Amino acid sequence: MAFLLSTLIIDAAVLFVTFVPLIYKANIDGFALNRVTGLSNDQIVTAFTTICQYLSIFHHGPLQVPYFTLSKHALIHFADVRKVMIVLQLYLPIGAVLAFFLIKKAIKEREVSYLKLTAIISALILIFFGFVGLSDFSSAFTMMHQLLFHNNYWLMDPLVDPVINIFPEEFFKLCLIAILIIIIVINALLVALYAYFKPRLIKDPLDK
C-alpha cells in the first residue's frame, strides 16, 4: 500500500502542476517569450492553456493552437504526450479507490505503519529524481523524452514549429522543483500524521 500511495502522491503532483498553470503565468515575463514569439502575454497564455486542455482526458477533437500552425510531427508529439497524461489521469482515481479500501482496512486493524513507509518511499523517489533532475536538468530532460517517446518529434525546429518557443526548458525545470516541493509538503504531513496516530494506535509492525 505504501508504494501505491507514493505513486499516487507523485501522480497528483504532476497533474496539479500540469493543469494548474500558476508557474507559467508567474514566470512568463521572466521567460521573455514576448520577444521570442512576438505575441502578447495573454496570447501566449491562451496558446499554452489550449495545449494543456488538449492533454485532459475530457478533451475531444484535434489540437488547434491559436496563433500557431502545427506540423504533422508536432501534432504527433502532442498526441503522444496526451497518451502519457491520460494514463496518469486514469491511474489517479483508480489508484485512489484502491487506496481508500486499503486505508479503511488498515484503520480497522489499527495499523499506522503505512504512513511512515509511504513517507520513506516518497522521500527516496524525491531524492533520486531531485538529484538527477537538478544536477543536470538538460540531460535528464532529454533522457525522459527518450524513455517516454519512441521518436524524436519532441525535437521541434522553431522555424517549422514556433509553438515550441512557448515551452522554454527553464519552465520544465521549475515544474520539477514545484513537484518536488509538493512531495516534501505531503511527506511532512504524513510524518506528522504518523507521529500523531502512532501513540494512539496499538499495532505498528515497524516498531516490533
Side-chain angles (χ1 to χ4, degrees), residues 10 120-136 140 143 147 176 180 183:
I10 297 170
I120 292 173
I121 294 173
S122 297
L124 292 175
I125 295 174
L126 173 78
I127 293 170
F128 174 77
F129 284 102
F131 176 77
V132 173
L134 298 179
S135 60
D136 188 354
M143 184 182 301
L147 291 173
L176 172 62
L180 296 177
I183 296 173

Side-chain angles (χ1 to χ4, degrees), residues 19 52-61 82 85-86 89-90 93:
F19 292 110
C52 290
Q53 291 168 1
Y54 169 75
L55 301 178
S56 170
I57 195 172
F58 301 107
H59 177 85
H60 299 285
R82 185 170 190 268
M85 296 306 300
I86 286 178
Q89 291 169 76
L90 289 174

